Amino acid sequence: MTVASTTESAVTDGPAPPTPSRHEGRKKAEGMTIAGIALRTPYWVFTGAVALIFLAPLVWTAVASVSPQPGTNQVDGWGFGNYRTLAAYQAGIWRYLANSAFVSLLTVTLTLLISFLGGYAFARFRFPGKNLLFLITLAILMVPYATLLIPLYVLLNQVGLQNSLVGVALVLTMFQLPFSTFLMRISFEAVPRELDEAAMVDGCSSFGALWRVLLPAVKPGLITVGLFGFLAAWNDFMAPLILINDSERMTLPLAVSNLRGQVQGVVDYGATEAGVVVLALPCIVLFLLLQRHYVRGFMSGALKG
């Protein structure tokens, strides 16, 4: 029986296929590597050139903020004289940083909360006029930003929020909500309905399924919304310019703009460049820390759309 089974196995299997030698496999791998490098080189060159184009102004500003310049507080040698000028301007840079941080954090918090609930409602519930209401929400994007600031100034003055950082945050939140709600809706729609339905079958309420199941699934979209909201609020100049009258309540972009012509209309380029560096640093750090989630949030929306 053993001899028969061995013979039958040999007849069935046939001769073993020849195995490639180690030398042939190495040559094939080297060929694929060279071809891959040749195909990717134009991409690397293009992206490197684009990166240099975007980084060059930032590097130039950072170097100019510490280099000697006539008519500034840093005339002789390299140093931080321009930063000292910025720090001592009127109420001080720390006050303006605190104002900008308050406006940005409040804007991000309100935008995340409202767009999260709004995106969930648009994605998961059916109600009369849903698509029309969503289009009306998106229509705010078509209205020029500056045209609404004067009516909003009058409205905030009537409710006692003019010349208030809270009023500035509310205005910035309003302009962030259309895009944020759109992004959160497509983030929720990218999550299969079976997940929250299974959670409800297991005993979760609608809020429990939203908190325990859907919130982790749409986290990249939330991070993207929060990052956009922070960048818009931190760098915004127009809303504080129209709504803020008190110099101690100015945000950092407005303070840097006023600093430019503080002495008889002469532009203090050194202090301005120092202010630009201080403004850019939080944005750069946040983007580098959250870029992985930022890309995932956009990709989920792109794949769904």
Side-chain angles (χ1 to χ4, degrees):
M1 293 293 294
T2 305
V3 175
S5 61
T6 304
T7 305
E8 183 179 357
S9 176
V11 172
T12 303
D13 296 340
T19 58
S21 64
R22 184 179 300 177
H23 180 67
E24 292 177 353
R26 185 180 301 171
K27 288 181 63 178
K28 185 176 180 180
E30 290 178 355
M32 293 177 62
T33 303
I34 294 174
I37 293 175
L39 290 174
R40 293 181 181 180
T41 298
Y43 170 77
W44 291 336
V45 172
F46 176 75
T47 54
V50 172
L52 288 176
I53 291 174
F54 280 96
L55 287 176
L58 294 176
V59 174
W60 180 86
T61 302
V63 172
S65 67
V66 295
S67 63
Q69 299 183 39
T72 67
N73 200 23
Q74 188 63 40
V75 180
D76 299 324
W78 297 71
F80 296 95
N82 295 319
Y83 290 90
R84 287 192 293 270
T85 301
L86 179 65
Y89 178 65
Q90 290 188 358
I93 187 175
W94 296 111
R95 182 62 178 267
Y96 301 132
L97 280 172
N99 293 342
S100 291
F102 176 80
V103 170
S104 301
L105 292 178
L106 184 58
T107 300
V108 169
T109 302
L110 293 175
T111 302
L112 286 176
L113 180 62
I114 300 174
S115 64
F116 177 70
L117 297 177
Y120 174 68
F122 280 120
R124 286 297 193 260
F125 296 109
R126 295 180 180 178
F127 51 88
K130 181 180 76 171
N131 293 330
L132 177 62
L133 180 60
F134 187 67
L135 288 176
I136 293 174
T137 304
L138 292 181
I140 300 176
L141 294 173
M142 304 177 188
V143 181
Y145 176 41
T147 59
L148 294 178
L149 286 178
I150 300 303
L152 288 173
Y153 176 89
V154 176
L155 177 62
L156 292 175
N157 190 34
Q158 293 177 351
V159 298
L161 289 177
Q162 187 269 330
N163 195 28
S164 167
L165 295 178
V166 175
V168 175
L170 290 176
V171 170
L172 295 175
T173 300
M174 185 194 71
F175 285 105
Q176 288 299 307
L177 281 178
F179 174 76
S180 301
T181 305
F182 168 76
L183 187 59
M184 290 311 304
R185 178 182 180 176
I186 59 179
S187 297
F188 277 110
E189 289 178 346
V191 180
R193 288 180 176 268
E194 289 78 6
L195 289 179
D196 41 323
E197 291 174 355
M200 291 181 181
V201 169
D202 291 338
C204 282
S205 61
S206 297
F207 180 78
L210 174 64
W211 181 259
R212 298 180 180 180
V213 178
L214 294 178
L215 177 61
V218 299
K219 185 174 71 171
L222 283 172
I223 293 176
T224 304
V225 168
L227 185 59
F228 260 91
F230 178 83
L231 294 179
W234 182 263
N235 295 310
D236 190 79
F237 172 77
M238 188 67 70
L241 176 65
I242 300 297
L243 301 176
I244 298 296
N245 300 327
D246 189 354
S247 61
E248 293 190 356
R249 297 181 181 178
M250 293 190 302
T251 57
L252 188 57
L254 187 56
V256 171
S257 175
N258 290 341
L259 176 64
R260 291 181 71 247
Q262 63 172 335
V263 182
Q264 297 179 354
V266 179
V267 178
D268 190 344
Y269 289 106
T272 303
E273 288 153 355
V276 171
V277 172
V278 174
L279 276 169
L281 278 178
C283 302
I284 295 172
V285 172
L286 269 181
F287 184 81
L288 292 177
L289 291 176
L290 302 176
Q291 62 175 336
R292 179 168 58 91
H293 302 284
Y294 171 81
V295 173
R296 286 179 57 193
F298 263 117
M299 287 300 295
S300 64
L303 292 176
K304 184 63 183 177

